[in-house]
Amino acid sequence: MRDSSLAPLLAVFYGCGFLAGFNENLVNMALVAIMGDFSVDAVTAQWLVTGYMIAVTVVVTCMAYLYRRLTMRALFFMAAGLSIVGSLGGLIAPDFAVLLAARLVQALGTGVFIPLMMNVIVDRVPHERMGTYLAIGSAMITVGPATAPIVTGFMVSGLGWRSVFLVPLAAALLLTAAGAFVVRDRREPTRGGFDVVSALLVAVGVTLLSLGLSEIALHPPVGAAALGGAALALGWFARRQLHLARPLVSMEPLRHGSFWPAAVLVMIAMTTYFSLSVIAPLYFEEAAGLSASAAGVLMVAPVLANATAAVLAGRALDRRGEWPLLPAGLGIAVAGLAVTITGALAASVAVATVGIFFGYLGTGMVLSPAQTAGLRRLPDELNAHGVSLMSMAVQLSACLGPAAYIGVMSAASVTATAAGVPAAQASAEGFAVAMAVSAAVAFIGFASAVVYARRMARR
């Protein structure tokens, strides 16, 4: 398939994917300054991050409907407009409530970009090359959140916290200008009702899930109650989709034996990636005593390894298939996490950094190939729903991984501190325990990948 319009179109959407990923970690380095300016505590300020992820998850859930209801061009300009408005709101917000509202508007816009990019690739790229193109998109998405703390850290120090919103504002304006020339399609929108109840169930379920995982280690009754509520809400959502004539997102792809195991592998890879992205910098700063800028520099090589591995693994999938790529990636990730634990317990930052590098490398080998493996075998009429479910898997992982592993790390650190362990060592032990849990989950993924990849190879 040779389409002269495809390259510039994908260039714009790859830029959108990077922007969406960048926005996920946009305010992380600005939280302390925001807390001081608006006199809010850390729990309240954290909603600028958690609220963003919840809003993105809800938008992703609605994307199958939106992709069916609107043209690609209309979706693109709607998303770009919301991103611009949200960034402007953050730039001039007079109080915390307005800042939070602006952040949610920004999430509604940029939350469209990732599944829209994936839909374009699935619809317009031949299946035998889908792995390469999805891998490039995956690399852009993963580099975005890793780049944000480095860029915004310097901006907060030099220009104040409001300056961080200048980056997405300028990027959205640039992408809008480029998209005006290249974003076009010939799809005819189809009418259909929007199920508000389903969207609300996802919002409630993801909110309770994040709350439950973050509280279960420190406050078990609160965490258990929240997780129970999340299970009810998300279970009700899934059951509702099965009984609606036009579901918000069809569960039909999950009936395909090539799809649902791939979605599980995506969640395991992304949970590992996101947990490393959040708690590795905490280890560098709290346990190793490094500055935020030094911690950011140490994370550059692992992130680049992840992005490079994603592109190379996507090409390998197109040429050789799932075996032995997927098991090898998760095997490398497990080995990397084991080395990370050893380094943390031995107070060796160098060893821990090497382990983190291979943890990132291994997950980079799995994410995009697993997505491709699940999507390329679906019937065409289920493509949009498959993309929505895969994107939901990614966003749920972004909510679940950090919440769960930070909870484990905090609980282990508190226990060590109570036993009289020095603060830095307690942080290192908490980090090691969280990595041990992550390694156990990744090992389950490795075993699952062996079974899945061999089955796909026999096909």
Side-chain angles (χ1 to χ4, degrees):
M1 176 180 178
R2 295 186 180 274
D3 185 347
S4 61
S5 67
L6 184 59
L9 178 67
L10 287 180
V12 169
F13 280 117
Y14 286 151
C16 293
F18 176 86
L19 175 60
F22 188 92
N23 280 343
E24 287 183 1
N25 287 345
L26 179 69
V27 300
N28 290 18
M29 302 301 291
L31 287 178
V32 174
I34 290 170
M35 289 161 58
D37 273 9
F38 293 138
S39 300
V40 296
D41 59 21
V43 175
T44 302
Q46 186 62 28
W47 277 101
L48 294 173
V49 178
T50 304
Y52 179 94
M53 298 306 301
I54 292 170
V56 170
T57 304
V58 175
V59 173
V60 163
T61 306
C62 301
M63 269 303 293
Y65 165 81
L66 293 173
Y67 194 69
R68 182 176 67 242
R69 183 69 182 83
L70 301 172
T71 65
M72 178 183 18
R73 187 175 175 86
L75 271 174
F76 171 79
F77 282 111
M78 178 187 75
L82 288 168
S83 182
I84 291 169
V85 170
S87 300
L88 275 173
L91 191 63
I92 64 173
D95 54 45
F96 183 81
V98 174
L99 178 61
L100 178 59
R103 184 78 170 136
L104 295 178
V105 171
Q106 190 182 50
L108 294 177
T110 57
V112 172
F113 284 143
I114 292 175
L116 184 56
M117 175 189 72
M118 291 176 64
N119 270 305
V120 171
I121 293 172
V122 170
D123 284 349
R124 300 190 61 173
V125 172
H127 285 192
E128 64 272 14
R129 299 192 65 193
M130 191 184 295
T132 299
Y133 283 92
L134 280 176
I136 296 171
S138 174
M140 298 299 290
I141 294 166
T142 55
V143 168
T147 305
I150 300 171
V151 174
T152 58
F154 286 106
M155 295 185 73
V156 170
S157 299
L159 301 172
W161 66 263
R162 293 181 187 274
S163 65
V164 302
F165 289 94
L166 290 172
V167 177
L169 177 60
L173 288 170
L174 181 62
L175 289 168
T176 302
F181 295 97
V182 302
V183 178
R184 293 182 175 84
D185 65 340
R186 296 179 293 274
R187 292 185 308 109
E188 289 295 329
T190 58
R191 294 190 177 276
F194 177 76
D195 188 49
V196 177
V197 174
S198 294
L200 290 175
L201 286 172
V202 170
V204 172
V206 175
T207 302
L208 290 175
L209 196 58
S210 298
L211 176 64
L213 287 172
S214 63
E215 293 289 337
I216 191 67
L218 291 171
H219 306 100
V222 175
L227 290 176
L232 288 174
L234 295 176
W236 185 5
F237 166 80
R239 181 178 176 81
R240 187 174 178 83
Q241 305 317 296
L242 296 174
H243 292 86
L244 289 174
R246 299 298 293 269
L248 193 60
V249 55
S250 174
M251 299 289 111
E252 188 62 28
L254 296 176
R255 298 180 185 274
H256 290 254
S258 61
F259 183 87
W260 69 264
V264 171
L265 293 178
V266 166
M267 290 196 71
I268 290 173
M270 287 306 290
T271 300
T272 304
Y273 172 83
F274 277 113
S275 62
L276 278 171
S277 298
V278 173
I279 66 177
L282 291 177
Y283 162 75
F284 287 135
E285 293 180 49
E286 295 179 356
L290 301 178
S291 65
S293 58
V297 170
L298 285 178
M299 296 299 292
V300 171
V303 169
L304 292 178
N306 181 276
T308 303
V311 175
L312 295 178
R315 296 180 64 183
L317 181 79
D318 288 339
R319 294 173 179 174
R320 299 177 58 88
E322 294 83 359
W323 178 264
L325 178 64
L326 297 180
L330 281 164
I332 290 172
V334 171
L337 292 171
V339 172
T340 302
I341 295 166
T342 302
L345 294 178
S348 173
V349 177
V351 173
T353 302
V354 170
I356 291 167
F357 178 90
F358 283 101
Y360 269 80
L361 181 71
T363 54
M365 293 172 60
V366 176
L367 172 61
S368 180
Q371 287 180 317
T372 305
L375 290 171
R376 67 180 178 178
R377 293 182 173 90
L378 287 178
D380 289 345
E381 64 272 14
L382 292 180
N383 280 344
H385 294 286
V387 167
S388 288
L389 288 171
M390 279 294 183
S391 300
M392 286 176 67
V394 171
Q395 293 305 321
L396 283 172
S397 301
C399 294
L400 304 184
Y405 292 124
I406 285 179
V408 171
M409 182 178 178
S410 298
S413 297
V414 168
T415 301
T417 301
V421 174
Q425 184 182 341
S427 295
E429 291 183 10
F431 175 70
V433 172
M435 288 294 92
V437 176
S438 182
V441 173
F443 182 80
I444 294 172
F446 166 75
S448 303
V450 170
V451 176
Y452 176 71
R454 288 183 67 87
R455 181 157 61 87
M456 293 299 101
R458 285 196 295 269
R459 286 189 177 183

